[in-house]
Amino acid sequence: MHRILLLPGDGIGPEVTAEARRVLEAAADAAGIGLEFETELIGGASIDAKGTPLTDEALERARGCRALLLGAVGGPKWDDMPVNTRPERGLLRIRKELDLFANLRPAAVFPALVDASTLRREVVEGIDLLVVRELTGGIYFGEPRGQAWVNGRREARNTMVYDECEIARIARVSFESARRRRKLVTHVHKANVLEVSQLWMTVVEEVAKDFSDVRLEHQLVDSMAMLLLKEPSRYDVIVTGNLFGDILSDEAAMITGSLGMLPSASLGEAGIGLYEPVHGSAPDIAGQDAANPLAAILSAAMLLEHSLDAPDAANAVRDAVADALASGARTGDLVAPDQPSIGCRAMADLVLSKLGSR
Ligand code: IPM
Ligand code: MN
């Protein structure tokens, strides 16, 4: 029996997590894997009920689980709060406390969705990349940070800091991933301005020596933002720090059709994995059964692969998603405003029926 902790969170989080759980349960069942589900609050939901975006009890419970499946955090209700008490803090805390330093964000295009992208078909076809984002360091966590009055003016600061061990371990993850893929690592940096990026450059080069079968190249983050639009199918594994990875992974998601499609896995050395859609809490459509559950469902597939060692079950879920899309079904995010679409629950029902009939 594997313990799975559900962290539905805010906005559309509870809807998509509920659907992902149904699909996860069905796929695990078919593979003879027993799962036991528990639920905890995170984000704004936890602030409202417990006064903090993540309680110590929720964190302890997470430590006792094999994997965590998270929805989304945040919303307008909590937007005016200072950064250190906001819903997002709950997510950052759980990533940091569980040392989930390796964030894997695969962006591939489903054949049925080639025309859903805002880019031309010939640019989009064949996109299959993996953003490997460092998740527990960099400017998100660096000290000193904060706002203060200095010489009668308001001043604010954040610090981008990485040590060589943090860089080496994420670089290793990227090379190991590339080895199982098309064997190209693109390191994204801003070494023409930042000392931090210069250290990344040096350490990534050092780690590359252990992976002579993988090709390494370096790309400035501003050109990378452009190249992802120009020639996205050229890229295989993109490795970068926390902030650049946050930005580029949204871009990578969007060029494949919709942010509503992109899953992620956050892994560390402790063996616990956190799985969550890359999209946010989408408060504008929350509670209307209008969300796209596929990013959450594909996150459940990553959970099967990375935390339950069930790659076949993971692929069965991915194939079921491809089948559902091939049948023409679309949630609202995947169609023009005047086109027909189905709801969150109906999309998950369809994936479940495709899964059952494979
Ligand atoms: C993401 C999100 C988070 C991040 C927010 C919600 C803190 O944008 O997972 O990409 O910036 O890491
Ligand atoms: Mn983000």
Side-chain angles (χ1 to χ4, degrees):
M1 225 31 159
H2 299 285
R3 290 171 70 190
I4 309 292
L5 184 63
L6 301 172
L7 294 159
D10 308 319
I12 59 171
E15 301 162 55
V16 298
T17 309
E19 302 312 329
R21 176 212 165 130
R22 289 202 298 146
V23 175
L24 175 59
E25 230 171 352
D29 232 35
I33 300 168
L35 301 179
E36 199 174 84
F37 288 92
E38 302 171 33
T39 305
E40 277 289 351
L41 297 171
I42 193 167
S46 179
I47 293 176
D48 288 354
K50 313 269 182 179
T52 167
L54 183 75
T55 63
D56 293 343
E57 299 76 62
L59 188 60
E60 275 323 299
R61 199 172 232 196
R63 287 188 206 281
C65 287
R66 182 102 201 99
L68 326 176
L69 189 60
L70 187 139
V73 295
K77 183 171 175 195
W78 309 280
D79 265 355
D80 294 331
M81 301 178 70
V83 285
N84 60 343
T85 55
R86 284 170 68 100
E88 289 81 355
R89 243 324 103 185
L91 180 55
L92 297 177
R93 179 166 180 225
I94 205 161
R95 289 172 176 172
K96 186 76 176 173
E97 297 263 5
L98 300 180
D99 198 23
L100 303 170
F101 69 91
N103 185 213
L104 311 182
R105 299 187 156 187
V109 65
F110 283 88
L113 290 186
V114 168
D115 293 312
S117 173
T118 50
L119 300 185
R120 285 198 311 273
R121 164 178 274 273
E122 60 270 28
V123 177
V124 173
E125 270 170 343
I127 296 179
D128 182 11
L129 55 85
L130 175 69
V131 178
V132 176
R133 169 189 177 196
E134 200 291 329
L135 201 60
T136 52
I139 198 164
Y140 273 56
F141 296 96
E143 301 279 348
R145 64 183 299 154
Q147 287 202 28
W149 284 91
V150 178
N151 301 328
R153 308 175 189 191
R154 284 166 299 172
E155 189 181 280
R157 78 187 59 221
N158 289 95
T159 305
M160 187 185 280
V161 53
Y162 273 112
D163 70 40
E164 59 178 315
C165 302
E166 292 174 289
I167 302 168
R169 66 180 185 172
I170 193 72
R172 225 159 254 294
V173 170
S174 72
F175 284 106
E176 277 156 8
S177 305
R179 207 167 237 179
R180 295 188 293 270
R181 299 169 48 98
R182 303 198 313 277
K183 301 192 169 52
L184 172 65
V185 168
T186 306
H187 163 236
V188 174
H189 63 92
K190 190 70 187 171
N192 53 351
V193 177
L194 304 175
E195 285 83 354
V196 170
S197 286
Q198 289 181 333
L199 182 61
W200 268 76
M201 195 88 115
T202 308
V203 175
V204 171
E205 287 282 353
E206 286 164 8
V207 172
K209 295 202 176 85
D210 293 340
F211 297 87
S212 53
D213 53 325
V214 176
R215 198 151 60 85
L216 169 66
E217 61 182 18
H218 302 277
Q219 196 58 251
L220 284 162
V221 63
D222 48 353
S223 358
M224 191 69 225
M226 176 195 73
L227 291 166
L228 269 180
L229 298 177
K230 190 170 171 222
E231 205 186 356
S233 58
R234 185 188 167 280
Y235 296 93
D236 180 19
V237 174
I238 294 173
V239 64
T240 190
N242 207 342
L243 181 63
F244 299 160
D246 178 45
I247 298 165
L248 290 179
S249 58
D250 270 27
E251 187 185 356
M254 199 60 205
I255 58 183
T256 67
S258 166
L259 196 48
M261 294 296 303
L262 204 78
S264 83
S266 304
L267 310 171
E269 276 141 24
I272 302 174
L274 166 67
Y275 301 85
E276 53 173 317
V278 170
H279 64 66
S281 60
D284 51 322
I285 57 164
Q288 299 168 25
D289 189 38
N292 182 347
L294 296 179
I297 289 171
L298 292 167
S299 299
M302 293 189 87
L303 188 160
L304 285 161
E305 180 177 346
H306 295 280
S307 284
L308 301 177
D309 200 20
D312 294 341
N315 283 330
V317 171
R318 293 183 188 117
D319 290 345
V321 168
D323 288 352
L325 292 168
S327 76
R330 300 283 184 272
T331 42
D333 56 309
L334 296 172
V335 294
D338 54 336
Q339 296 295 304
S341 62
I342 63 172
C344 181
R345 178 100 196 173
M347 181 57 102
D349 281 341
L350 187 58
V351 172
L352 277 168
S353 86
K354 299 292 183 190
L355 187 65
S357 61
R358 286 193 73 86

